[in-house]
Amino acid sequence: MFDPRPLVDIATAIGREAGALVQRMRASAVVSFDTKSTSTDVVTAADRASEQLVRTRLSELRPGEPILGEEEGGPDGDADVEGLTWVVDPIDGTVNYLYGIPWYSVSIAAQLDGESVAGAVVEPATGRVWTAARGHGAFLDGEPLHVSATTDLSLSLLGYGFAYRPERRQRQADTWASMATRVRDLRRAGAASLDLCSVAAGRLDAYAEHGLGRWDWAAGGLIAAEAGAVVRLPGSLPELGEDATFAAAPGIADAMYGALVESGFGKV
Ligand code: LIP
């Protein structure tokens, strides 16, 4: 019987090493940086160095297994990739990292045929580690995680995000304006992996965003699901948009999904 838990140990150990590097590099890494899809989509030397470290260590510990990383690419859920693929976000929440907001992560997941079986989300700023293995629960620093028990949409806290492209941001802002009167409140924290972990911990009752990369949700989505959340990943949400990611406590998942559809989330 396949046991994914040893893969969590590998993701955790390497994530900690990369997290330490990210912290060491911050003073210099934020001085000059490049941009990618838009002028606000930044990548720093620390992003690149972190991914390089993770790739090197995975090739040592898991030789021959393919790696998908945000900065250097790789197989992205390709059906023809047999066996395990590692999925890496070297710094998730790069804008937070740039501004010194201590809410960013190194996210490492192992996927089997495109589905996550093990994952670790390491917070370099605090040393906290979020983990999950499929079928074995979700944990924060070894303590079990459980989603919130909320059943009232109007008393729920919803996390969300924005795309980098300005034209899409306006449509997204219209959606969030509509959602603001349907829930308790909204939170935009800037790191998808940690938003998904927050759902797992009951710090958010739900989270929704478009345009995430596999590296953004591969570990956090498993952690949320193993903590009891309803998790729907890109490609499974026709009403919310082909590139939508959704996670919610079970008590409000249907109501939140419906409210997002009514608010036009699926049309951004
Ligand atoms: C970020 C995501 C966040 C999203 C940002 C960005 P990055 O990832 O974690 O949820 O709203 O636009 O995509 O770019 O920091 O790895």
Side-chain angles (χ1 to χ4, degrees), residues 36 41-42 70 89 91-95 161-164 188 190-193 195 207 209 212 215-216:
K36 297 186 291 189
D41 182 3
V42 295
E70 179 174 12
D89 194 333
I91 301 178
D92 182 39
T94 301
V95 172
F162 280 104
Y164 285 117
R188 193 303 192 243
S193 60
D195 286 327
Y207 162 70
E209 183 160 359
L212 297 183
W215 45 80
D216 289 313

